[in-house]
Amino acid sequence: MSISLGDKSAAAGKTKHDILELIKKEKVELVDAVFTDPAGLWQHCTFMANQLDDEAFDVGLPFDGSSIKLFKVINESDMLMKPDPNTAWIDPFHNRKTLHIACTIHEPEVKTGGYSRCPRSIAERSIEYMKSTGIADTAFFGPEAEFFIFDSATFHFSNNKAGYELDTEEGWWNSNKPGNNLANRMEAKGWYFPVPPIDTSNDIRSEMLLTMQDLGVPVEKHHHEVAVGQSELGFRALSMVAAADNLQTYKYVIKNVAKKHNKTVTFMPKPIWGDNGTGMHVHQSLWKDGKPLFWDSNGKYVNLSETALHYIGGILHHAPAICAFTNSTTNSYKRLVPGFEAPVNLAYSKGNRSAAIRIPMYHPTVPKYKRMEFRCPDALSNPYLAFAVCLMAGLDGIKNKIAPGEPIDVDIYELSEEERKSIRKTPGSLSQALDALEKDHAFLTAGGVINEDFIQAYIKQKRAEVLRVETAPHPLEYIMYYHG
């Protein structure tokens, strides 16, 4: 068998023996075992290549889980990382030949199933639950994660001072910069699709896209987004866990290619005041026996099936609680602000980007393309948790036949204030989203997908983040109140 260097797609569907052969063939020296913590960050431990053997695949690689937030206490800290052969690729950013492989987390004394607080295990359980209901056997997810590229980013916070400063050559604030100023800039909110030299990050994005392709991510395109320094790369929809795996690869590659070019990347939804924020629109569809369940040639609304409408109904019904996972930071709600272009309106519509759920209409009569797009999430969320809670909400909608209401096929931003009042909105803060999650999470505990213990620990952790921000003086408060 031949697997080329860095060819993740070739490794897909392979066994542990295929990966062990790859290690030998490519003379791999080190194995970087990674896992995703509840906050959505990749954590890693690097092992000598000879440590990845049959036992490591079957039982797991040992590590101390007590220092990972929301994992284990110090007196129960022994945990195992169980590598998934389908996720292996040669890391292009390491100096020595290193195999990168993603893992799920297991407890030594629990013989079946992943750790209850492991996000990847939660995503896997949500798929198993879906199959157990008989509703579908495959859930396809396609995330569109936006991000910012900056030339520099500095920030500080202490008892008596706080501040941040971001800079990019594209910034309109550099229009009068002294020296050899070439003035290739657009105004705020005017950066969608310009060609170089105005688009300064084109070559960097191309390198990001092609690097991901080398690692097996099924990439499609890249382009500049609306805000200054804002970009997006796209890859094809995949089965749900694989989509989350690839999104983690996406973020890893983007950050490391940026660093290579002395740039810095952030997935913060709202790093710049007065310009568009970044989101992560998530396309979703269910399939069974190779057939798309969201398509119905006799569907009353753009050929959507009853299954699709009820799935949408579940998402809209549980949206405030979902946001605690899909919009999981205090910064998320500086993007989700009514009156701007953010998708805060909990409604659905065909091709309408002012609604929280859009039905894409690029191929309206092709069954395999029939899907829904949830526009609220952002890329600071943990993809495994974000996708799993969306799936569980949609399945709850199907099981309980939750109607989504009537579609809204007008520009919601153009409606009168009185007309907009009747449309439910996303939470106005992380605190409100957590309130909603406290009241509404039975749909997540169905089938033991997410247990009550994790939900309460997650809420406690996130409320601590809210308190940290709410009790800190803001620089604007000095401008508004210092002389009062």
Side-chain angles (χ1 to χ4, degrees):
M1 182 195 68
S2 174
I3 301 178
S4 61
L5 178 66
D7 190 351
K8 182 183 176 187
S9 58
K14 297 299 186 291
T15 67
K16 61 183 179 181
H17 300 297
D18 298 325
I19 304 307
L20 295 175
E21 182 182 323
L22 173 64
I23 289 173
K24 183 186 296 184
K25 178 178 181 294
E26 297 292 345
K27 297 178 180 172
V28 169
E29 298 176 275
L30 301 162
V31 172
D32 212 27
V34 304
F35 64 90
T36 301
D37 70 11
L41 298 175
W42 252 354
Q43 308 285 349
H44 78 132
C45 184
T46 305
F47 296 85
M48 293 298 294
N50 61 11
Q51 297 300 298
L52 192 64
D53 53 17
D54 281 351
E55 183 177 347
F57 277 106
D58 295 340
V59 179
L61 295 160
F63 77 103
D64 174 7
S66 64
S67 294
I68 305 298
K69 287 182 180 178
L70 295 183
F71 266 21
K72 285 289 191 176
V73 293
I74 197 167
N75 57 309
E76 298 175 343
S77 59
D78 290 346
M79 306 196 79
L80 296 164
M81 292 185 276
K82 195 169 182 179
D84 182 345
N86 294 322
T87 66
W89 36 264
I90 305 297
D91 197 308
F93 304 108
H94 287 244
N95 291 328
R96 305 301 290 258
K97 187 66 72 67
T98 301
L99 181 84
H100 171 111
I101 193 163
C103 305
T104 51
I105 304 305
H106 290 249
E107 297 179 271
E109 297 179 358
V110 179
K111 300 304 180 186
T112 59
Y115 176 44
S116 64
R117 295 189 179 188
C118 168
R120 196 169 189 269
S121 296
I122 288 171
E124 289 174 340
R125 285 197 297 275
S126 72
I127 295 297
E128 291 306 311
Y129 171 72
M130 176 190 70
K131 292 177 180 178
S132 75
T133 66
I135 292 171
D137 55 35
T138 307
F140 282 106
F141 275 63
E144 298 179 312
E146 300 166 338
F147 57 95
F148 283 93
I149 303 174
F150 294 117
D151 295 327
S152 65
T154 61
F155 39 89
H156 64 275
F157 182 86
S158 61
N159 298 77
N160 68 322
K161 58 183 177 180
Y164 68 90
E165 184 174 350
L166 307 169
D167 202 13
T168 167
E169 182 61 25
E170 294 181 355
W172 63 87
W173 52 83
N174 284 319
S175 294
N176 64 346
K177 185 178 179 180
N180 188 28
N181 196 330
L182 301 180
N184 293 313
R185 298 183 185 88
M186 306 294 287
E187 292 183 289
K189 302 179 184 288
W191 285 89
Y192 198 66
F193 276 29
V195 298
I198 294 172
D199 180 358
T200 65
S201 57
N202 183 75
D203 288 340
I204 293 176
R205 291 198 310 272
S206 291
E207 183 176 342
M208 293 169 175
L209 194 76
L210 293 172
T211 301
M212 284 191 280
Q213 178 179 258
D214 291 343
L215 303 182
V217 180
V219 295
E220 292 183 327
K221 61 183 178 182
H222 72 74
H223 60 84
H224 205 293
E225 265 293 346
V226 175
V228 62
Q230 188 182 36
S231 291
E232 180 186 315
L233 283 67
F235 63 86
R236 294 198 303 274
L238 298 162
S239 59
M240 194 187 81
V241 176
D245 288 340
N246 278 267
L247 185 58
Q248 293 293 72
T249 298
Y250 177 105
K251 296 173 78 170
Y252 180 75
V253 168
I254 285 169
K255 290 179 179 180
N256 279 283
V257 170
K259 181 176 180 291
K260 176 181 170 183
H261 291 272
N262 202 31
K263 307 282 186 181
T264 180
V265 159
T266 183
F267 287 89
M268 285 178 67
K270 195 71 172 181
I272 300 177
W273 178 77
D275 210 339
N276 281 32
T278 57
M280 182 179 70
H281 309 147
V282 182
H283 297 252
Q284 304 167 44
S285 67
L286 299 184
W287 292 57
K288 188 174 184 180
D289 298 328
K291 296 179 181 179
L293 299 182
F294 282 9
W295 167 265
D296 182 351
S297 59
N298 298 313
K300 295 179 180 178
Y301 184 69
V302 296
N303 297 122
L304 283 175
S305 66
E306 286 293 306
T307 295
L309 289 170
H310 290 146
Y311 188 97
I312 291 168
I315 296 273
L316 292 175
H317 177 75
H318 295 295
I322 292 172
C323 284
F325 292 98
T326 60
N327 304 83
S328 58
T329 72
T330 57
N331 189 254
S332 300
Y333 299 87
K334 291 178 168 60
R335 166 183 169 253
L336 292 181
V337 178
F340 294 88
E341 294 182 23
V344 299
N345 300 293
L346 295 177
Y348 72 105
S349 178
K350 59 179 182 180
N352 186 349
R353 287 172 168 80
S354 64
I357 292 179
R358 181 177 76 96
I359 311 304
M361 297 298 290
Y362 298 121
H363 308 283
T365 60
V366 182
K368 69 178 182 178
Y369 290 120
K370 189 58 64 178
R371 63 193 188 273
M372 56 81 71
E373 175 195 45
F374 188 36
R375 297 177 60 79
C376 298
D378 62 64
L380 275 192
S381 62
N382 182 317
Y384 300 100
L385 297 178
F387 297 171
V389 298
C390 286
L391 177 62
M392 295 298 288
L395 293 174
D396 188 66
I398 294 169
K399 287 196 309 176
N400 293 295
K401 300 187 183 303
I402 299 175
E406 293 299 315
I408 300 179
D409 290 333
V410 298
D411 185 347
I412 297 173
Y413 305 130
E414 296 298 320
L415 295 177
S416 68
E417 185 175 343
E418 193 63 31
E419 290 172 314
R420 287 198 301 269
K421 281 183 180 178
S422 63
I423 303 172
R424 291 170 63 232
K425 302 290 190 295
T426 54
S429 66
L430 179 56
S431 184
Q432 289 179 16
L434 295 170
D435 290 344
L437 180 61
E438 277 193 320
K439 297 173 184 175
D440 176 28
H441 58 257
F443 70 100
L444 298 176
T445 60
V449 171
I450 305 180
N451 64 29
E452 183 74 24
D453 172 71
F454 176 72
I455 291 172
Q456 295 307 321
Y458 180 86
I459 290 172
K460 182 179 179 181
Q461 172 66 32
K462 288 296 173 181
R463 288 210 186 278
E465 294 177 20
V466 170
L467 183 64
R468 190 177 179 189
V469 173
E470 287 184 345
T471 57
H474 191 286
L476 271 177
E477 291 177 311
Y478 286 87
I479 294 172
M480 295 188 290
Y481 307 130
Y482 189 85
H483 295 292

